[in-house]
Amino acid sequence: MSWYRNTVWFVKGLREYTRGGFESASKSFNPADVEVDVAGRSFLVTGANSGIGKATAKEIARRGGTVHLVCRNKERAEVAKEEIVTETGNQNIILHIVDLSNPKEIWKFAGKFRNEHKLNVLINNAGCMVNSRELTEDGLEKNFATNTLGTYIMTTALVPLLEKAADARVRQQVVLTEQWAKAHRNIHFSVMHPGWADTPAVRSSMPDFYERMKNSLRTEAQGADTVLWLAVSAEATKLPSGLFFQDRQPVPTHLPLAWTHSPPEDEEKLMEVLEEFSQKFKSVSPGI
């Protein structure tokens, strides 16, 4: 029976993550939630040169926000910036080249950014899906370095700047979001699942899955919809900080019967380990 239930939930969940799931959910969306003017507000989007990151940056730019694009590849980033400026007419698009798998580089960038800019919303979109074991120059496994440690350092380093802003917001991984929401009451933290979208990352990292599902995948804009809603909508901040969202609705962080819950002490230990790791790299970055 448990196997049957898990299978049913898996199939149901997969369907909800597809284009059809988005189209069904969007029938209840209020378009006015994201029809807002965010001129004068500053947004930082990591991994913004393609996929959901670029789609999010573009929609924020359409609404007048100042958008900081944080990207690793300079050539692709410049093309993305030009596209966003051309399509939206918004000239307030600022490009930063940062390798988010390099903790020393993130500390250096964040220290400089704090001294030169204001920030209202941090969107930790960047991530990698490396299928074979690959180490960074610091000896860190690349997925961990980018998706977890890099995100931790970027957010930790920019929290002092966000604390100064009105209606400050952040989104990222589930456990980190829950822990940060408890620690920083003046900042609204949230995390979301974009569903399965047709992005370069999915095509390159999950080729077999992409071939099977390509006709059912969400568009990049559909994948970015909840990110945009969390970043600009007044409705999003009426809900508690630290929640996990799918298609503009808070949802459980664990599938039924999946047995993926972590005890509080494990989550606290994760935060301690990340802090310890991050400080090692901070200490060798002068001026931070």
Side-chain angles (χ1 to χ4, degrees):
M1 181 61 74
S2 62
W3 173 86
Y4 172 76
R5 288 177 180 172
N6 276 325
T7 301
V8 169
W9 278 104
F10 174 78
V11 172
K12 181 176 181 288
L14 187 62
R15 186 166 58 245
E16 289 178 350
Y17 291 155
T18 63
R19 187 188 309 136
F22 177 83
E23 291 169 350
S24 176
S26 66
K27 293 175 183 177
S28 64
F29 291 175
N30 181 359
D33 284 358
V34 293
E35 291 174 359
V36 295
D37 183 350
V38 293
R41 287 177 65 77
S42 177
F43 301 76
L44 189 156
V45 185
T46 66
N49 65 284
S50 66
I52 290 169
K54 185 173 75 171
T56 301
K58 191 178 294 184
E59 291 304 318
I60 292 170
R62 291 189 203 283
R63 290 157 175 77
T66 296
V67 186
H68 296 270
L69 312 177
V70 176
C71 308
R72 181 177 60 85
N73 185 289
K74 189 173 187 293
E75 291 182 3
R76 290 202 295 265
E78 288 176 343
V79 170
K81 176 185 174 180
E82 184 178 347
E83 179 184 324
I84 293 169
V85 170
T86 300
E87 290 192 20
T88 68
N90 187 339
Q91 299 293 322
N92 296 318
I93 312 299
I94 304 164
L95 182 59
H96 309 272
I97 305 303
V98 184
D99 182 351
L100 291 173
S101 71
N102 186 324
K104 294 187 290 293
E105 199 171 312
I106 301 170
W107 277 119
K108 183 177 180 181
F109 159 75
K112 188 172 186 290
F113 189 92
R114 286 201 310 264
N115 291 329
E116 297 178 355
H117 303 283
K118 72 169 189 173
L119 183 62
N120 298 96
V121 181
L122 169 60
I123 300 175
N124 287 307
N125 165 78
C128 68
M129 291 187 287
V130 178
N131 294 323
S132 57
R133 182 171 173 79
E134 185 177 330
L135 300 181
T136 68
E137 63 181 35
D138 296 302
L140 300 169
E141 193 278 322
K142 194 162 188 178
N143 289 300
F144 166 77
T146 305
N147 303 338
T148 306
L149 183 61
T151 295
Y152 179 86
I153 294 174
M154 180 69 78
T155 306
T156 299
L158 293 178
V159 156
L161 192 58
L162 288 161
E163 291 276 14
K164 299 175 183 178
D167 189 19
R169 311 185 192 189
V170 179
R171 68 161 285 268
Q172 202 9 267
Q173 296 182 4
V174 175
V175 173
L176 299 185
T177 294
E178 292 172 342
Q179 295 298 316
W180 280 324
K182 295 175 186 176
H184 305 285
R185 301 293 184 178
N186 295 329
I187 302 173
H188 195 271
F189 289 85
S190 51
V191 62
M192 58 79 68
H193 195 303
W196 292 112
D198 189 349
T199 65
V202 169
R203 280 178 238 139
S204 62
S205 300
M206 307 171 68
D208 293 339
F209 173 83
Y210 174 75
E211 283 302 315
R212 289 196 304 270
M213 298 293 297
K214 62 184 178 182
N215 294 326
S216 301
L217 295 177
R218 298 181 178 201
T219 65
E220 293 174 345
Q222 289 172 339
D225 177 81
T226 298
V227 187
L228 178 69
W229 183 81
L230 289 168
V232 306
S233 169
E235 293 302 308
T237 54
K238 292 179 181 178
L239 294 163
S241 181
L243 298 182
F244 177 47
F245 290 83
Q246 179 184 333
D247 292 332
R248 303 191 188 184
Q249 293 293 322
V251 295
T253 56
H254 303 272
L255 291 174
L257 306 177
W259 307 107
T260 54
H261 293 266
S262 302
E265 56 268 25
D266 285 359
E267 296 184 358
E268 292 169 6
K269 182 63 176 178
L270 170 65
M271 301 302 283
E272 290 173 8
V273 170
L274 288 174
E275 178 64 15
E276 183 180 334
F277 260 118
S278 69
Q279 291 301 319
K280 288 180 180 178
F281 295 103
K282 182 180 181 180
S283 64
V284 295
S285 302
I288 304 301

